[in-house]
PDB file of all heavy atoms in Angstrom:
ATOM      1  N   LYS A 268      -2.250  87.026 228.110  1.00 76.00           N
ATOM      2  CA  LYS A 268      -0.791  86.765 228.102  1.00 76.00           C
ATOM      3  C   LYS A 268      -0.266  86.610 226.780  1.00 76.00           C
ATOM      4  O   LYS A 268       0.895  87.115 226.482  1.00 76.00           O
ATOM      5  CB  LYS A 268      -0.509  85.408 228.850  1.00 76.00           C
ATOM      6  CG  LYS A 268      -0.725  85.461 230.364  1.00 76.00           C
ATOM      7  CD  LYS A 268      -0.485  84.098 231.017  1.00 76.00           C
ATOM      8  CE  LYS A 268      -0.567  84.157 232.530  1.00 76.00           C
ATOM      9  NZ  LYS A 268      -0.214  82.908 233.116  1.00 76.00           N
ATOM     10  N   LYS A 269      -1.014  86.033 225.780  1.00 78.00           N
ATOM     11  CA  LYS A 269      -0.579  85.908 224.466  1.00 78.00           C
ATOM     12  C   LYS A 269      -0.444  87.325 223.848  1.00 78.00           C
ATOM     13  O   LYS A 269       0.535  87.605 223.145  1.00 78.00           O
ATOM     14  CB  LYS A 269      -1.652  85.135 223.677  1.00 78.00           C
ATOM     15  CG  LYS A 269      -1.200  84.926 222.203  1.00 78.00           C
ATOM     16  CD  LYS A 269      -2.268  84.028 221.444  1.00 78.00           C
ATOM     17  CE  LYS A 269      -1.874  83.825 219.958  1.00 78.00           C
ATOM     18  NZ  LYS A 269      -2.894  83.038 219.293  1.00 78.00           N
ATOM     19  N   ALA A 270      -1.446  88.254 224.049  1.00 76.00           N
ATOM     20  CA  ALA A 270      -1.344  89.639 223.533  1.00 76.00           C
ATOM     21  C   ALA A 270      -0.130  90.300 224.115  1.00 76.00           C
ATOM     22  O   ALA A 270       0.531  91.069 223.376  1.00 76.00           O
ATOM     23  CB  ALA A 270      -2.625  90.350 223.837  1.00 76.00           C
ATOM     24  N   GLU A 271       0.062  90.203 225.459  1.00 72.00           N
ATOM     25  CA  GLU A 271       1.164  90.844 226.124  1.00 72.00           C
ATOM     26  C   GLU A 271       2.521  90.342 225.502  1.00 72.00           C
ATOM     27  O   GLU A 271       3.438  91.190 225.304  1.00 72.00           O
ATOM     28  CB  GLU A 271       1.196  90.661 227.583  1.00 72.00           C
ATOM     29  CG  GLU A 271       0.050  91.384 228.312  1.00 72.00           C
ATOM     30  CD  GLU A 271      -0.026  91.121 229.810  1.00 72.00           C
ATOM     31  OE1 GLU A 271       0.784  90.213 230.182  1.00 72.00           O
ATOM     32  OE2 GLU A 271      -0.806  91.723 230.431  1.00 72.00           O
ATOM     33  N   GLU A 272       2.658  89.060 225.208  1.00 69.00           N
ATOM     34  CA  GLU A 272       3.873  88.538 224.692  1.00 69.00           C
ATOM     35  C   GLU A 272       4.104  89.116 223.270  1.00 69.00           C
ATOM     36  O   GLU A 272       5.211  89.452 222.832  1.00 69.00           O
ATOM     37  CB  GLU A 272       3.750  86.999 224.659  1.00 69.00           C
ATOM     38  CG  GLU A 272       4.988  86.249 224.117  1.00 69.00           C
ATOM     39  CD  GLU A 272       6.243  86.445 224.995  1.00 69.00           C
ATOM     40  OE1 GLU A 272       6.049  86.941 226.189  1.00 69.00           O
ATOM     41  OE2 GLU A 272       7.346  86.290 224.503  1.00 69.00           O
ATOM     42  N   GLU A 273       3.027  89.209 222.438  1.00 70.00           N
ATOM     43  CA  GLU A 273       3.146  89.718 221.135  1.00 70.00           C
ATOM     44  C   GLU A 273       3.595  91.199 221.159  1.00 70.00           C
ATOM     45  O   GLU A 273       4.376  91.561 220.398  1.00 70.00           O
ATOM     46  CB  GLU A 273       1.794  89.528 220.409  1.00 70.00           C
ATOM     47  CG  GLU A 273       1.428  88.168 220.054  1.00 70.00           C
ATOM     48  CD  GLU A 273      -0.010  87.998 219.412  1.00 70.00           C
ATOM     49  OE1 GLU A 273      -0.651  89.050 219.323  1.00 70.00           O
ATOM     50  OE2 GLU A 273      -0.251  86.895 219.009  1.00 70.00           O
ATOM     51  N   LYS A 274       2.962  91.917 222.132  1.00 68.00           N
ATOM     52  CA  LYS A 274       3.395  93.403 222.227  1.00 68.00           C
ATOM     53  C   LYS A 274       4.819  93.491 222.698  1.00 68.00           C
ATOM     54  O   LYS A 274       5.593  94.279 222.143  1.00 68.00           O
ATOM     55  CB  LYS A 274       2.471  94.061 223.242  1.00 68.00           C
ATOM     56  CG  LYS A 274       1.049  94.255 222.817  1.00 68.00           C
ATOM     57  CD  LYS A 274       0.239  94.838 223.861  1.00 68.00           C
ATOM     58  CE  LYS A 274      -1.278  95.009 223.401  1.00 68.00           C
ATOM     59  NZ  LYS A 274      -2.055  95.604 224.464  1.00 68.00           N
ATOM     60  N   ARG A 275       5.204  92.539 223.597  1.00 62.00           N
ATOM     61  CA  ARG A 275       6.607  92.548 224.020  1.00 62.00           C
ATOM     62  C   ARG A 275       7.599  92.264 222.888  1.00 62.00           C
ATOM     63  O   ARG A 275       8.612  93.045 222.766  1.00 62.00           O
ATOM     64  CB  ARG A 275       6.834  91.608 225.147  1.00 62.00           C
ATOM     65  CG  ARG A 275       8.149  91.658 225.891  1.00 62.00           C
ATOM     66  CD  ARG A 275       8.323  90.570 226.888  1.00 62.00           C
ATOM     67  NE  ARG A 275       8.388  89.205 226.236  1.00 62.00           N
ATOM     68  CZ  ARG A 275       9.493  88.711 225.734  1.00 62.00           C
ATOM     69  NH1 ARG A 275      10.613  89.349 225.727  1.00 62.00           N
ATOM     70  NH2 ARG A 275       9.355  87.500 225.104  1.00 62.00           N
ATOM     71  N   LEU A 276       7.241  91.346 222.148  1.00 62.00           N
ATOM     72  CA  LEU A 276       8.114  90.983 220.909  1.00 62.00           C
ATOM     73  C   LEU A 276       8.183  92.131 219.966  1.00 62.00           C
ATOM     74  O   LEU A 276       9.267  92.424 219.342  1.00 62.00           O
ATOM     75  CB  LEU A 276       7.636  89.722 220.267  1.00 62.00           C
ATOM     76  CG  LEU A 276       7.717  88.434 221.166  1.00 62.00           C
ATOM     77  CD1 LEU A 276       7.092  87.243 220.418  1.00 62.00           C
ATOM     78  CD2 LEU A 276       9.178  88.096 221.537  1.00 62.00           C
ATOM     79  N   ALA A 277       6.962  92.740 219.726  1.00 61.00           N
ATOM     80  CA  ALA A 277       6.870  93.815 218.743  1.00 61.00           C
ATOM     81  C   ALA A 277       7.702  95.044 219.261  1.00 61.00           C
ATOM     82  O   ALA A 277       8.418  95.706 218.498  1.00 61.00           O
ATOM     83  CB  ALA A 277       5.385  94.283 218.606  1.00 61.00           C
ATOM     84  N   LYS A 278       7.710  95.275 220.574  1.00 58.00           N
ATOM     85  CA  LYS A 278       8.439  96.365 221.122  1.00 58.00           C
ATOM     86  C   LYS A 278       9.896  96.063 221.051  1.00 58.00           C
ATOM     87  O   LYS A 278      10.716  97.037 220.821  1.00 58.00           O
ATOM     88  CB  LYS A 278       8.009  96.667 222.585  1.00 58.00           C
ATOM     89  CG  LYS A 278       6.659  97.294 222.701  1.00 58.00           C
ATOM     90  CD  LYS A 278       6.191  97.413 224.126  1.00 58.00           C
ATOM     91  CE  LYS A 278       4.772  98.007 224.220  1.00 58.00           C
ATOM     92  NZ  LYS A 278       4.346  98.118 225.685  1.00 58.00           N
ATOM     93  N   MET A 279      10.315  94.812 221.232  1.00 57.00           N
ATOM     94  CA  MET A 279      11.658  94.491 221.168  1.00 57.00           C
ATOM     95  C   MET A 279      12.245  94.721 219.711  1.00 57.00           C
ATOM     96  O   MET A 279      13.308  95.147 219.522  1.00 57.00           O
ATOM     97  CB  MET A 279      11.916  93.068 221.540  1.00 57.00           C
ATOM     98  CG  MET A 279      11.735  92.795 223.033  1.00 57.00           C
ATOM     99  SD  MET A 279      11.934  91.042 223.478  1.00 57.00           S
ATOM    100  CE  MET A 279      13.600  90.811 223.007  1.00 57.00           C
TER     101      MET A 279
END
Side-chain angles (χ1 to χ4, degrees):
K268 287 184 178 180
K269 182 178 179 181
E271 290 177 353
E272 182 65 18
E273 292 176 353
K274 290 178 182 178
R275 187 183 68 82
L276 295 176
K278 289 176 182 179
M279 290 178 61

